[in-house]
Amino acid sequence: MIIFTHHTGEPHGILGAQLAATFFQRKLSIPSIVVGIERNFSKERLFRFLDEHYAGKERVAAFSHLCGRKDLIELIRELKQKGFVTIIGGPQARQDYVGEPEVDSHPHRFRGLRSTVDLAFQGPVDGFRSEHLNIHETLFEYPWTKEISIEVDWSNLHLFSDTLQKHEVRLCQVLNAIGCPYSSKAQTVILPPPVDLKGRGAVELSVRSEGCIFCDVSHDKGFHDLLEMEQVIDQIVRLPELDGKKVPFELIDEYPLRSLGKLFEEISHQNIRLSQINLVCRVDDVNAHASDLPGILSQAQNQDIKVMFASIGFESFSDRLLQYFCKGITLSDIVECVETLRRLKDRFKTHFLYRRDEGANHGFIRPTPWDDGETMQEMDRNIFLHRFFEDILPEHSTPLIIHHASFLGDWIRKIESTTDIRFGRDGTWIEWWNPSFEGGT
């Protein structure tokens, strides 16, 4: 079996897909590899490769981490037409299989992948069984627990652009927490309509969110606690090595600082040599552990381990937009966080990384539906006053992406249900910048 996934071509692994391939191979005796499909790949050459690869074999292809790409969704359809059994798993598998609600009365909405996917699998791969391959037009859902398979073969990743090439992973992922604790924070926010739609019948709407309002992972996974430390260490032990040390890895946990010190203690006790740990975390995690960070970083420095805050979810430098995003932080919190990072940099030098020119890429969402002269001036002023352009601001911002299964997707559908406005769909994404009007423009 081949598990297809989105890939950028960078030397990073794909934890979920590679874990699934390892499970299929070692637990179910189904030979499996992962093939990352780069953008602008040659479809003709891919089909030629598949004909050779599957010659005399059962034609089963799985997909994970579509990343909203229409070309991958089209690839699923074409493989099914060619007689493949098609499977989707991984992030948002259930939501992408089912599609948006009320598609009969709103035919422009994403209808889901039922017609192109034989089997959708939601949840940890541990629940998958060989007999599932013989059951079509079905969605299987299994609950997340801490007792999951975490054995990963990091050598099973390949890339395809024009030809199949073995991909050497130099940045892995280690699972520390299942889901995000902030997703358990239920809240309601009043959202104004997109700026461009004022005067077109759209009004302020009350929208419920669990965690960040643009996050589709909270719908997909929620939060299911930290793994046990021995499970985390077991993953680290299995990582590839380079020059006598484990390759850098991202610790998957939106609140990693609560357990990072204990992790360093265990690594030291077991004489495991690490090179670098990358953290993707929230502002409130940094602020809550500001007093603990010097001790944690001293542990890392003593073991010659670099700690990189690879991505912190600032997302905006406007209090109004932070409120709309349901981030649970303010500009004041962001300033406090950045000042902490700068102080730590002065003390720990090369063992502490957080700057853009050190490889970090922090969250900054722009444009958004609510950008106007006031918010743009506010953000530009704050970026200048607090010198965020020196170290924090990424080279390119990220436009607000609305996945159909996010809480912002609910907001868009509320607008559509109460007005004559319809928004375009691009695969699994909703184009908030592309409205049309049933009565004409």
Side-chain angles (χ1 to χ4, degrees), residues 61-123:
F63 288 79
S64 175
H65 186 48
L66 301 177
C67 201
R69 284 175 53 179
K70 289 193 299 183
D71 58 346
L72 293 183
I73 294 174
E74 176 66 13
L75 180 59
I76 300 174
R77 184 186 67 80
E78 292 184 69
L79 289 183
K80 182 175 174 62
Q81 290 178 342
K82 290 178 177 292
F84 279 75
V85 174
T86 54
I87 303 172
I88 58 167
Q92 295 84 47
R94 179 177 63 83
Q95 293 93 329
D96 288 347
Y97 180 76
V98 173
E100 292 187 77
E102 301 176 355
V103 291
D104 290 337
S105 55
H106 297 83
H108 67 288
R109 292 181 179 176
F110 176 62
R111 303 189 70 85
L113 302 177
R114 292 175 183 268
S115 63
T116 57
V117 167
D118 293 301
L119 171 65
F121 192 89
Q122 175 75 21

Side-chain angles (χ1 to χ4, degrees), residues 206-227:
S206 174
V207 183
R208 182 178 180 275
S209 178
E210 294 175 5
C212 301
I213 200 166
F214 51 78
C215 180
D216 50 342
V217 175
S218 61
H219 260 304
D220 178 65
K221 191 171 294 181
F223 178 62
H224 301 276
D225 211 351
L226 291 166
L227 297 188

Side-chain angles (χ1 to χ4, degrees), residues 123-144:
V125 72
D126 307 63
F128 199 95
R129 297 294 179 265
S130 299
E131 50 267 30
H132 287 151
L133 297 175
N134 300 317
I135 305 174
H136 295 177
E137 299 182 2
T138 304
L139 167 65
F140 288 98
E141 296 187 72
Y142 287 86
W144 285 96

Side-chain angles (χ1 to χ4, degrees), residues 111-213:
R111 303 189 70 85
L113 302 177
R114 292 175 183 268
S115 63
T116 57
V117 167
D118 293 301
L119 171 65
F121 192 89
Q122 175 75 21
V125 72
D126 307 63
F128 199 95
R129 297 294 179 265
S130 299
E131 50 267 30
H132 287 151
L133 297 175
N134 300 317
I135 305 174
H136 295 177
E137 299 182 2
T138 304
L139 167 65
F140 288 98
E141 296 187 72
Y142 287 86
W144 285 96
T145 72
K146 295 200 299 182
E147 303 303 320
I148 59 173
S149 174
I150 51 175
E151 183 180 356
V152 182
D153 175 5
W154 290 106
S155 69
N156 61 13
L157 179 60
H158 302 71
L159 293 188
F160 195 97
S161 180
D162 294 323
T163 60
L164 186 75
Q165 296 182 346
K166 191 74 176 288
H167 196 54
E168 191 171 14
V169 174
R170 286 291 173 254
L171 177 63
C172 299
Q173 300 91 35
V174 168
L175 185 64
N176 193 50
I178 301 175
C180 175
Y182 188 64
S183 68
S184 62
K185 181 175 175 56
Q187 52 196 310
T188 299
V189 62
I190 304 297
L191 294 182
V195 170
D196 294 341
L197 295 183
K198 288 184 178 179
R200 298 299 307 237
V203 299
E204 290 186 340
L205 292 170
S206 174
V207 183
R208 182 178 180 275
S209 178
E210 294 175 5
C212 301
I213 200 166

